[in-house]
């Protein structure tokens, strides 16, 4: 999982998203289209292999892949920069 270092409520408000919304995740803020995450409450809200943006047990925004690795999918590690953008 990739913890974004910000509270989920702050991230959701800044992006103007709620449950079910889609968010583009751009590793390195390259400006290119990124992976698409679904704003969800829990892993089972999406099918295996899908990227989700959710609130972890500490209230932080976190990216994860249902039955996978967000870090591997996004090609990021600790300290990487990510840009998020609301889709639709």
């Amino acid at each position: 999982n990739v913890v974004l270092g910000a509270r989920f409520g702050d991230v959701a408000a800044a992006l103007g998203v709620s449950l079910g919304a889609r968010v583009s995740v751009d590793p390195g803020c390259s400006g290119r289209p990124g992976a698409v995450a679904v704003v969800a409450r829990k892993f089972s809200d999406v099918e295996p292999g899908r990227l989700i943006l959710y609130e972890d047990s500490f209230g932080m925004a976190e990216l994860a892949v249902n039955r996978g690795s967000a870090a591997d999918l996004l090609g990021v590690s600790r300290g990487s920069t990510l840009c998020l953008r609301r889709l639709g």
Side-chain angles (χ1 to χ4, degrees):
N1 297 356
V2 178
V3 179
L4 298 181
R7 302 213 40 92
F8 179 81
D10 296 337
V11 172
L15 292 172
V17 297
S18 58
L19 291 175
R22 296 179 321 125
V23 175
S24 173
V25 182
D26 177 9
C29 302
S30 66
R32 296 187 303 258
V36 175
V38 175
V39 180
R41 287 191 193 276
K42 56 191 182 297
F43 292 95
S44 62
D45 289 341
V46 299
E47 60 273 5
R50 284 293 305 262
L51 183 65
I52 66 170
L53 172 63
Y54 75 105
E55 182 175 8
D56 72 11
S57 59
F58 297 104
M60 302 300 287
E62 191 164 328
L63 289 165
V65 172
N66 186 5
R67 299 186 187 172
S69 167
D72 290 346
L73 176 75
L74 299 169
V76 297
S77 59
R78 186 180 195 106
S80 294
T81 301
L82 297 170
C83 287
L84 305 178
R85 181 175 48 91
R86 181 184 68 217
L87 297 173

